[in-house]
Amino acid sequence: MRWTASLLAMLASSPAAASPESWVEANRSALLVEYVNLLAIPNVASDTPNIRRNAEHISAMMQRRGLSPRLLESEDGKSPPLVYGEWLVPGAERTLILYAHYDGQPVTAEDWTVTKPFEPLLLSARHDKGGKPLSVWITEREVDPNWRIYGRSASDDKAGVMAILAAVDALKAEGKRPAFNLKILFEGEEEAGSPNLAALLRRHKTTLASDGWVIIDGPAHQSGPPQLALGVRGDVNAEVTVYGPSRPLHSGHYGNWAPNPAMMLAELLASMKDETGRVTIAGWYDDVVPLTEAERRAIGEVPVADEALKTDLALGSTEGGGARLTELIHLPSLNINGMRSADVGANSRNVIPATATAALDLRLVLGNTPDRQVEKLVRHIRAQGYEVFDRDPTAEERQRFARVARVTPTPGYPAERTSIDHPLARDVAAALRKHGAIVLLPTMGGSLPLYLIRQELGVPNVSVALWNHDNNQHAEDENIRLANLWNGIAAIAAVMTMK
Amino acid sequence: MRWTASLLAMLASSPAAASPESWVEANRSALLVEYVNLLAIPNVASDTPNIRRNAEHISAMMQRRGLSPRLLESEDGKSPPLVYGEWLVPGAERTLILYAHYDGQPVTAEDWTVTKPFEPLLLSARHDKGGKPLSVWITEREVDPNWRIYGRSASDDKAGVMAILAAVDALKAEGKRPAFNLKILFEGEEEAGSPNLAALLRRHKTTLASDGWVIIDGPAHQSGPPQLALGVRGDVNAEVTVYGPSRPLHSGHYGNWAPNPAMMLAELLASMKDETGRVTIAGWYDDVVPLTEAERRAIGEVPVADEALKTDLALGSTEGGGARLTELIHLPSLNINGMRSADVGANSRNVIPATATAALDLRLVLGNTPDRQVEKLVRHIRAQGYEVFDRDPTAEERQRFARVARVTPTPGYPAERTSIDHPLARDVAAALRKHGAIVLLPTMGGSLPLYLIRQELGVPNVSVALWNHDNNQHAEDENIRLANLWNGIAAIAAVMTMK
């Protein structure tokens, strides 16, 4: 906020540009300052006051660009609003929505090593490869495209917000306008699973009328090029807690007589996968819709970056029995997001813990539903001898059954996929290819509630993923490489002007 | 500290008493105040300034009782000192040491539900059975023996410190003196594994000359009576960390291609026990010294409280394939003290974590050594396909091996056992039995570095365990039931006067 005055002065003095690339070149410093100010506003979806500050801040950014912004509110006015803007073009034959989300994943501040999650910092390189902090007060000619901005949502997905608005700037500076009626939509609770998106789309159906959506979210391919994904995986989370003694016990006096819930959880989790990482839960892969021949061919054409990625990630092995990453993300997954029982390290004590918990993440593909996938999980846990509750069991229930578990799923949502032959897919692919190679993915590994767009508005969507793959999204030390931001702006400008 | 003046006035005005029991009856209120003041001093062994405050505070408590206290320091003067006092009896034929420890287990303050760990609080009953907070400013007649004091070390083991000093008070009030030269010794880093005890015993060998030790530590039997334990299990901790990607990854884009360390840890831990809880690590039970016939008979006479305990702990099953608790604590154990990978609950994120860690606790019996038991563990982890390091592996090492683990053991110590026929065992048993039934255990489940007493000083020891079994020692909400403290004082006075 403290930079706004000088920022406006810089924006006002932007020279006219002959291309989005030259506009970026001439305005990088002002862009950095505007972006850092946006990242400094905490944006965890559950942090209601700050989420609203984000919405109002972004609305002001749109206002300065003449995009007639409005906050599209939920019925009770309490949910994070959709931030909406538009650039209508007289005579345009179609209307497209460009989407990004302005909320970010929750943060564990003490895990961040480079800076605090909401104190964005510019580094001269990746932090674990010798990057050093830099001032944002840099002159135009000093900006190096390999620099990185660190902070929550630097990539996921305030980069989408910033790049869409900068692409509007670039078009205006060139004296151009979009090839269609452009509607811009930023969501504020995507990382919380978009619990209100369906209702919001229904409520604002007329405002949001369009022929299709282009989603700006996600990482470029590990080998460098942008990815155009025609689908996303669905997602449902389930927390599993198993129970030991009703209070933590001295591990000398009661070990090993009292069952240890950490060991019970280890055995339960270990029963869910074989040694290649294939899920052994009955029926896990049964309802998957098979890939078409064209989709299988597209997957085969995706560059293989697996070995380089293994080196970057210091991995000595991978799951999937030799299958490639791109093949594996077209399957439903079961991932342990986190696991906890009592404490380790300096706070560890000699106890038999009272409970042990694992946070599971189940990614879904076309054919799966969240409810069915969770039901398979619950059936599997029952088959291991557990009585399963959807709440904390009572002391009486804990004593009645030899093994007791609690499973609490989130609502979740299914996968979505647009046909490889749909005009929206073909046009966006063609626009992006003017700038170089792209990677075309039938489905990307990540999840967005894109099924809602078809369900509520009856239109298809595609996703453009532009940010550096090593961006630590969803974790500590999230960052964006400037070159990806610059190229992303140009790519989005190309989509906006596609015929 | 703020109550010291009034406390001294109360102590000075103590009426003469005819028995330890009547002395306790007449002085309960002053005792409570003195004890609460002691519990209010934080006592985690690594907290050097506060550990010294404890030592000086206890030394002053001894000084008031005429016990000629001294702090027995380590060579560099930096370790928690032994607090030593004595009551020498002209003409006594033997010298015994009464031992307790004044440090406590580490605390996770946010897990405590009743009070902060070092803000002791008096409750009218157990906190999960309707107990309500009470003021310590109560009159003599109001003290109910079912009340409980909550706070770190309320049972383990400042109760030992307080009860030994109160037993001295009781004897003096009766005009009695011990039946032997009484030496009193309080250790300040027992819960940290007594890393300096051997050196301290060597350095102060002459001061600590005796015919045997009586240890005051640990819980009474679950059925109520005090326990006389002739041995303790040894103990060694080992932290096991397994490694996934070098940074946390988005669980959508990389799951399940990148190996998940939480799942790897689950599989590794699950491989260490069978479904009855028996450790499946090769040779785990091989070097155990078999129990003698007399020891087996004593174990057979221990009251069976297993069913009542299962109800109290809300347990629907136990480990050991039907064996009783008392039998099981005579075996070496493998317990998971804690387990952690990324986060669960509100801070959980959709990531493949970078590491997963389990804190293991290996209890040892006669015949085991810490080094051999850890070596069996490491061999087992290697047999599961892991390259094992004693430090964080480098990125190059993580990539070279399919599975990489770090195992970092504490030094640990072996078990110790005194013969059931030794005069010290027989005399202490006889003294305690004057007050009612006792439970005689060849070995108790907990651990103390008692092997050092024989190794460094050449004398035997026995342990008297007096505190309520449901005291949450080593965990949050640690507490002591007043009746156990009162009876414990009388029991210790009986030991002090045994012929």
Side-chain angles (χ1 to χ4, degrees):
Chain A
M1 301 303 269
R2 61 193 183 283
W3 292 317
T4 306
S6 58
L7 165 69
L8 287 176
M10 294 169 93
L11 285 174
S13 66
S14 302
S19 70
E21 288 80 356
S22 59
W23 180 86
V24 164
E25 178 109 7
N27 293 276
R28 293 176 303 196
S29 193
L31 255 170
L32 273 186
V33 173
E34 188 178 22
Y35 194 34
V36 162
N37 271 313
L38 177 59
L39 293 176
I41 312 173
N43 69 336
V44 177
S46 58
D47 178 0
T48 308
N50 275 318
I51 275 293
R52 195 151 286 273
R53 279 180 61 210
N54 275 281
E56 284 161 2
H57 186 91
I58 294 166
S59 184
M61 290 167 73
M62 284 178 156
Q63 190 70 52
R64 290 200 294 273
R65 290 163 169 94
L67 294 170
S68 316
R70 288 157 53 195
L71 300 187
L72 306 185
E73 301 283 358
S74 60
E75 194 166 346
D76 66 0
K78 290 179 181 165
S79 305
L82 298 170
V83 185
Y84 172 82
E86 58 187 21
W87 184 353
L88 303 183
V89 179
E93 285 178 7
R94 61 177 169 176
T95 299
L96 294 180
I97 289 183
L98 259 65
Y99 163 102
H101 64 88
Y102 63 89
D103 68 310
Q105 279 273 317
V107 293
T108 306
E110 61 269 27
D111 291 345
W112 286 62
T113 64
V114 171
T115 184
K116 296 277 161 53
F118 301 110
E119 295 177 11
L121 190 67
L122 190 62
L123 257 70
S124 59
R126 214 171 85 182
H127 68 293
D128 55 347
K129 296 200 167 169
K132 295 281 170 288
L134 298 165
S135 165
V136 292
W137 294 108
I138 32 79
T139 67
E140 289 294 323
R141 51 176 300 148
E142 287 173 331
V143 178
D144 179 329
N146 286 310
W147 290 353
R148 293 181 183 224
I149 304 173
Y150 279 76
R152 172 54 86 227
S153 291
S155 266
D156 181 18
D157 183 30
K158 281 183 173 173
V161 173
M162 189 70 251
I164 289 170
L165 297 184
V168 167
D169 288 333
L171 257 59
K172 294 203 168 187
E174 282 186 77
K176 289 190 178 169
R177 56 187 198 179
F180 45 81
N181 288 314
L182 170 63
K183 296 183 174 180
I184 297 173
L185 191 66
F186 298 137
E187 190 191 356
E189 49 184 348
E190 191 272 340
E191 298 293 1
S194 300
N196 301 293
L197 187 59
L200 282 163
L201 296 186
R202 267 196 301 276
R203 188 171 152 83
H204 302 284
K205 197 164 185 162
T206 313
T207 307
L208 299 176
S210 81
D211 299 296
W213 288 35
V214 180
I215 314 286
I216 308 295
D217 195 9
H221 190 259
Q222 292 85 2
S223 64
Q227 302 193 88
L228 172 59
L230 308 184
V232 287
R233 290 204 274 190
D235 197 18
V236 59
N237 289 89
E239 204 152 86
V240 178
T241 297
V242 300
Y243 297 81
S246 57
R247 56 177 183 273
L249 294 176
H250 187 292
S251 63
H253 297 309
Y254 296 96
N256 288 305
W257 174 82
N260 184 309
M263 182 59 86
M264 293 165 74
L265 183 66
E267 290 167 351
L268 181 59
L269 293 170
S271 75
M272 294 180 185
K273 286 193 163 188
D274 71 14
E275 60 183 10
T276 70
R278 190 168 171 88
V279 180
T280 51
I281 293 173
W284 198 251
Y285 302 98
D286 281 359
D287 38 16
V288 173
V289 171
L291 294 166
T292 66
E293 190 49 46
E295 286 167 338
R296 242 196 299 273
R297 205 177 324 118
I299 291 170
E301 286 167 8
V302 174
V304 180
D306 293 32
E307 282 309 312
L309 199 55
K310 280 175 71 177
T311 301
D312 181 38
L313 297 172
L315 284 177
S317 61
T318 54
E319 297 189 346
R324 291 183 300 127
L325 172 56
T326 314
E327 298 171 63
L328 292 168
I329 59 175
H330 285 84
L331 291 173
S333 78
L334 183 152
N335 183 64
I336 304 174
N337 281 350
M339 193 163 70
R340 180 113 195 228
S341 182
D343 259 309
V344 301
N347 281 330
S348 143
R349 294 151 297 168
N350 283 336
V351 293
I352 301 168
T355 63
T357 297
L360 300 184
D361 172 42
L362 318 179
R363 300 279 169 173
L364 313 177
V365 299
L366 224 55
N368 296 144
T369 71
D371 287 354
R372 278 204 306 271
Q373 215 69 348
V374 169
E375 186 49 38
K376 293 173 199 168
L377 173 71
V378 169
R379 269 205 305 269
H380 178 84
I381 296 174
R382 286 210 183 97
Q384 312 309 307
Y386 282 85
E387 186 71 17
V388 178
F389 295 85
D390 58 3
R391 52 166 173 80
D392 269 327
T394 64
E396 191 274 327
E397 286 161 345
R398 287 167 73 156
Q399 208 192 337
R400 179 147 35 112
F401 303 102
R403 296 173 173 197
V404 171
R406 185 188 68 186
V407 179
T408 44
T410 57
Y413 53 81
E416 164 71 0
R417 195 153 73 211
T418 292
S419 163
I420 217 166
D421 298 319
H422 192 283
L424 180 65
R426 286 201 307 240
D427 292 349
V428 173
L432 293 174
R433 282 187 173 125
K434 286 187 190 158
H435 285 263
I438 65 165
V439 170
L440 180 66
L441 276 179
T443 292
M444 70 171 172
S447 300
L448 289 167
L450 302 185
Y451 79 102
L452 284 179
I453 302 168
R454 190 179 304 274
Q455 176 184 291
E456 300 299 333
L457 305 176
V459 298
N461 72 79
V462 299
S463 291
V464 179
L466 296 162
W467 321 130
N468 45 299
H469 74 92
D470 59 348
N471 63 18
N472 278 32
Q473 67 179 114
H474 287 208
E476 62 270 20
D477 298 331
E478 181 175 350
N479 66 84
I480 189 164
R481 184 171 155 263
L482 293 190
N484 287 77
L485 185 58
W486 304 159
N487 294 337
I489 293 167
I492 293 167
V495 169
M496 286 179 179
T497 52
M498 71 188 183
K499 291 291 170 266
Chain B
M1 300 300 270
R2 59 193 185 283
W3 293 316
T4 306
S6 59
L7 165 70
L8 287 175
M10 294 169 92
L11 285 174
S13 67
S14 303
S19 70
E21 287 81 356
S22 60
W23 180 86
V24 164
E25 178 107 10
N27 293 275
R28 292 176 305 195
S29 192
L31 255 170
L32 272 186
V33 173
E34 188 177 23
Y35 194 34
V36 162
N37 271 313
L38 176 59
L39 293 176
I41 312 173
N43 70 336
V44 178
S46 57
D47 178 1
T48 308
N50 275 318
I51 275 292
R52 195 151 286 272
R53 280 179 62 210
N54 274 282
E56 284 161 3
H57 185 91
I58 294 166
S59 185
M61 290 167 73
M62 284 178 156
Q63 190 69 52
R64 290 200 294 273
R65 288 162 170 95
L67 294 170
S68 316
R70 289 156 53 194
L71 300 187
L72 306 185
E73 301 282 358
S74 60
E75 195 167 345
D76 66 2
K78 289 179 181 164
S79 305
L82 298 170
V83 185
Y84 171 82
E86 58 188 19
W87 185 352
L88 303 182
V89 178
E93 285 179 5
R94 62 177 169 175
T95 299
L96 294 180
I97 289 183
L98 259 64
Y99 163 102
H101 64 89
Y102 63 90
D103 68 310
Q105 279 273 318
V107 292
T108 306
E110 61 270 26
D111 291 344
W112 286 63
T113 64
V114 171
T115 185
K116 295 278 161 52
F118 301 111
E119 296 177 11
L121 189 67
L122 190 62
L123 257 70
S124 58
R126 214 170 86 182
H127 68 294
D128 54 347
K129 298 201 166 168
K132 294 281 168 287
L134 298 165
S135 164
V136 293
W137 294 108
I138 32 77
T139 66
E140 289 295 322
R141 51 176 299 148
E142 286 173 332
V143 179
D144 179 328
N146 286 312
W147 289 354
R148 293 183 182 222
I149 304 173
Y150 279 77
R152 173 53 87 224
S153 291
S155 266
D156 183 16
D157 183 30
K158 281 184 173 173
V161 173
M162 188 71 251
I164 289 170
L165 297 184
V168 166
D169 288 333
L171 258 59
K172 294 203 168 186
E174 284 186 74
K176 288 189 178 170
R177 58 188 198 178
F180 44 82
N181 289 313
L182 169 64
K183 295 182 174 181
I184 297 173
L185 191 66
F186 299 137
E187 190 191 354
E189 50 183 349
E190 192 272 340
E191 298 293 1
S194 301
N196 300 292
L197 186 60
L200 281 163
L201 295 186
R202 269 196 299 277
R203 188 171 151 83
H204 302 284
K205 197 165 186 159
T206 314
T207 306
L208 298 175
S210 80
D211 299 295
W213 289 35
V214 180
I215 315 285
I216 309 296
D217 196 8
H221 191 260
Q222 292 86 0
S223 64
Q227 301 193 88
L228 173 59
L230 307 183
V232 286
R233 290 204 274 191
D235 196 19
V236 59
N237 289 88
E239 203 151 86
V240 178
T241 296
V242 300
Y243 297 81
S246 57
R247 56 177 183 273
L249 295 177
H250 188 292
S251 62
H253 297 307
Y254 296 97
N256 289 306
W257 174 82
N260 185 309
M263 183 58 86
M264 294 165 73
L265 183 66
E267 290 167 352
L268 180 59
L269 293 170
S271 74
M272 294 180 186
K273 286 193 162 187
D274 71 15
E275 58 183 12
T276 69
R278 190 167 171 90
V279 179
T280 51
I281 294 173
W284 197 253
Y285 302 97
D286 281 0
D287 38 15
V288 173
V289 171
L291 295 166
T292 66
E293 190 49 46
E295 286 166 339
R296 244 195 297 273
R297 205 177 323 119
I299 292 170
E301 286 167 6
V302 174
V304 181
D306 292 32
E307 283 308 313
L309 199 54
K310 279 175 71 177
T311 301
D312 181 38
L313 297 172
L315 285 177
S317 61
T318 54
E319 297 190 345
R324 292 183 299 128
L325 172 57
T326 315
E327 297 171 65
L328 293 168
I329 59 175
H330 286 84
L331 291 173
S333 79
L334 183 153
N335 184 64
I336 304 174
N337 281 349
M339 192 161 71
R340 179 112 196 226
S341 183
D343 260 309
V344 300
N347 280 329
S348 145
R349 292 151 299 170
N350 283 337
V351 293
I352 301 168
T355 63
T357 296
L360 300 184
D361 172 43
L362 318 179
R363 300 280 169 171
L364 314 176
V365 299
L366 224 56
N368 296 144
T369 72
D371 288 355
R372 277 203 307 272
Q373 214 70 347
V374 169
E375 185 49 37
K376 293 173 199 169
L377 173 70
V378 169
R379 269 205 306 269
H380 177 84
I381 296 173
R382 287 210 182 97
Q384 312 308 307
Y386 283 86
E387 186 71 17
V388 178
F389 295 85
D390 58 3
R391 53 167 171 80
D392 268 327
T394 65
E396 190 275 326
E397 287 160 345
R398 287 167 72 156
Q399 208 193 337
R400 180 148 33 114
F401 304 102
R403 296 174 173 197
V404 172
R406 185 188 67 185
V407 178
T408 44
T410 56
Y413 53 80
E416 164 71 358
R417 196 153 73 210
T418 292
S419 163
I420 218 167
D421 299 320
H422 192 283
L424 180 65
R426 288 201 307 240
D427 292 350
V428 173
L432 293 174
R433 281 185 173 126
K434 286 186 191 158
H435 286 264
I438 66 166
V439 169
L440 181 66
L441 276 179
T443 291
M444 69 171 176
S447 300
L448 289 166
L450 302 185
Y451 79 101
L452 285 177
I453 302 168
R454 191 179 302 274
Q455 176 185 291
E456 299 300 333
L457 305 175
V459 299
N461 72 80
V462 299
S463 291
V464 179
L466 297 161
W467 321 129
N468 44 300
H469 74 92
D470 58 350
N471 63 19
N472 277 32
Q473 68 180 113
H474 287 208
E476 62 270 18
D477 299 330
E478 181 176 350
N479 65 83
I480 189 165
R481 183 170 155 263
L482 293 189
N484 287 77
L485 185 59
W486 304 158
N487 293 339
I489 293 167
I492 294 168
V495 169
M496 285 180 180
T497 51
M498 72 189 182
K499 289 293 170 261

